[in-house]
């Protein structure tokens, strides 16, 4: 009778217990530990005073994070950032601090407890656990909405450089960022292409907070903001419509509604640019496939293969032009059929 390799069993056990590491990182991100250690090492007592936490218990958290190679523990319970932990600094170009602060929030964490229900029924876990969809929940809990917005900005910042390298936005006159949040992505596009004009489109309460970011990026004079719902209408006149991580939030029925609405606003010869993960062949593409489970649990959408994007676009009166590699994401470029 074959036995499991003990090393394999240990590796699997650590994966099973991965939620422990995730929660520890979430707490460190919420407390801003990495920012406090940005310029110097500090003792656990100094960190406890700065974060108003229980000193002996904070030390237990910090030593665990050091054992996970996120921090480095020196003599005298003094800690500094390890190379891995530098990505938790909120000011770093590759920061995931906003994402780490979001994924451990109790309401979202609890939704993952409904994964078994989703697998058994095909239903959305968040709706099952909380009795409402994730968008309605955040609209009635503005503090959670703000944390989520920071998480999206954190992820967007990490992928923007690869996106700009993969796609020549300079070929467009007007880029309309649909569901663009606080404007971080459209600001980067316009900053890189001074001749391009932009429109930031999202829900009114979202775009109302975009002005400071657009001003800091020096693009406020070339970017107007428009509030609304992409289920109802989108601004006319763009020769490029950019949708980053929008379509994966929705099931096929809602995705077709969004795509058809945006497609009807395209100028002749215009392009739709979907920045999405694309599901890889079997045994490949771990990030996209676990992101797909995250869509199942949270908003109720899904990640898709290239063939599934092709069918979705065709159902929306569009055609797939090409798929560009943009690092951890792809750019699915489409045009009117």
């Amino acid at each position: 009778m074959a036995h499991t390799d003990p090393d394999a069993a240990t590796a699997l056990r650590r994966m099973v217990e991965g939620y422990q590491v995730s929660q520890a990182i979430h707490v460190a991100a919420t407390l801003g530990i990495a920012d406090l250690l940005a310029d110097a090492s500090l003792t656990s007592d100094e960190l406890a005073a700065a974060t108003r936490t229980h000193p002996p218990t904070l030390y237990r958290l910090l030593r665990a994070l050091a054992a996970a190679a996120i921090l480095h523990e020196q003599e005298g319970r003094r800690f500094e950032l390890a190379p891995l932990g530098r990505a938790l600094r909120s000011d770093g170009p590759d920061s995931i601090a906003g994402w780490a602060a979001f994924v451990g929030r109790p309401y979202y964490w609890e939704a993952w407890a409904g994964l078994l229900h989703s697998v058994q029924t095909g239903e959305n876990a968040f709706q099952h656990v909380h009795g409402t969809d994730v968008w309605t929940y955040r609209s009635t809990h503005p503090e959670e909405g703000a944390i989520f917005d920071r998480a999206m900005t954190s992820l967007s910042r990490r992928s923007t450089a690869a996106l700009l390298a993969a796609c020549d936005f300079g070929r467009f006159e007007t880029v309309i960022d649909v569901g663009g949040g606080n404007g971080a992505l459209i600001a980067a596009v316009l900053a890189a292409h001074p001749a391009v004009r932009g429109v930031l489109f999202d829900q009114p309460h979202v775009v109302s907070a975009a002005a400071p970011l657009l001003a800091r990026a020096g693009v406020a004079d070339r970017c107007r903001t428009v509030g609304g719902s992409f289920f109802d209408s989108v601004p006319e006149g763009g020769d490029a419509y950019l949708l980053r991580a929008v379509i994966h939030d929705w099931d096929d029925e809602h995705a077709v509604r969004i795509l058809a609405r945006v497609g009807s606003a395209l100028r002749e010869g215009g392009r739709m640019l979907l920045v999405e993960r694309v599901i890889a062949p079997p045994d490949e593409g771990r990030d996209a496939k676990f992101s797909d489970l995250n869509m199942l649990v949270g908003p109720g959408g899904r990640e898709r293969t290239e063939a599934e994007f092709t069918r979705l676009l065709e159902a929306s009166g569009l055609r797939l032009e090409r798929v560009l590699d943009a690092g951890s994401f792809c750019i699915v470029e489409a045009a009117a059929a």
Side-chain angles (χ1 to χ4, degrees), residues 5-321:
D5 182 345
D7 289 338
T10 298
L12 181 60
R13 177 182 59 78
R14 287 177 175 169
M15 293 174 70
V16 169
E17 296 169 353
Y19 70 93
Q20 299 172 355
V21 180
S22 176
Q23 278 294 96
I25 294 171
H26 163 71
V27 171
T30 301
L31 295 174
I33 295 294
D35 286 347
L36 292 169
L37 294 175
D39 299 318
S41 63
L42 295 171
T43 67
S44 58
D45 285 349
E46 290 170 332
L47 288 167
T51 57
R52 299 182 179 180
T53 53
H54 186 245
T57 307
L58 180 65
Y59 171 67
R60 294 167 67 181
L61 174 76
L62 298 174
R63 71 182 180 186
L65 291 171
I70 294 162
L71 303 177
H72 174 60
E73 183 175 3
Q74 303 168 326
E75 291 186 9
R77 296 188 173 185
R78 179 172 291 276
F79 291 86
E80 65 181 5
L81 287 176
L84 196 61
R86 292 171 192 156
L88 282 180
R89 287 180 53 172
S90 61
D91 60 349
D94 294 325
S95 173
I96 63 161
W99 182 247
F102 159 67
V103 294
R105 298 296 297 170
Y107 82 102
Y108 207 75
W109 186 258
E110 290 161 6
W112 269 90
L115 178 60
L116 176 60
H117 175 81
S118 289
V119 172
Q120 291 173 328
T121 66
E123 298 173 357
N124 173 234
F126 194 98
Q127 179 81 39
H128 172 69
V129 171
H130 293 290
T132 187
D133 64 85
V134 69
W135 313 111
T136 302
Y137 185 95
R138 290 193 189 112
S139 71
T140 56
H141 296 77
E143 72 285 359
E144 298 296 353
I147 293 171
F148 175 74
D149 288 344
R150 288 195 293 272
M152 294 301 98
T153 299
S154 178
L155 293 184
S156 176
R157 183 169 55 236
R158 296 189 70 238
S159 63
T160 295
L163 174 61
L164 293 176
C167 181
D168 177 18
F169 286 95
R171 60 191 162 125
F172 303 118
E173 293 181 10
T174 302
V175 176
I176 298 180
D177 190 355
V178 177
N182 67 359
L185 179 54
I186 190 64
V189 170
L190 298 182
H193 300 281
V196 177
R197 303 191 68 82
V199 178
L200 173 64
F201 178 74
D202 209 315
Q203 296 178 69
H205 73 277
V206 175
V207 297
S208 64
L213 187 150
L214 297 174
R216 288 196 301 271
V219 300
D221 61 331
R222 291 187 286 124
C223 186
R224 63 187 179 95
T225 60
V226 179
S229 168
F230 44 51
F231 288 115
D232 299 328
S233 65
V234 297
E236 301 279 345
D239 53 334
Y241 283 78
L242 177 61
L243 291 81
R244 183 199 178 279
V246 170
I247 298 304
H248 76 162
D249 284 339
W250 303 96
D251 60 23
D252 286 355
E253 178 184 351
H254 288 88
V256 168
R257 286 176 57 192
I258 297 167
L259 292 170
R261 182 68 68 187
V262 176
S264 68
L266 271 175
R267 285 181 183 172
E268 184 177 354
R271 293 291 184 269
M272 187 184 301
L273 306 171
L274 309 180
V275 182
E276 298 278 353
R277 298 183 189 273
V278 174
I279 294 289
D283 299 334
E284 300 176 23
R286 178 186 185 276
D287 287 353
K289 290 170 182 175
F290 274 89
S291 179
D292 181 52
L293 292 182
N294 192 45
M295 295 302 104
L296 172 66
V297 167
R302 63 187 305 136
E303 306 293 359
R304 294 172 171 89
T305 65
E306 183 174 331
E308 288 170 333
F309 273 114
T310 298
R311 291 194 292 270
L312 205 63
L313 291 165
E314 289 175 349
S316 309
L318 300 159
R319 71 173 186 273
L320 178 68
E321 291 281 282

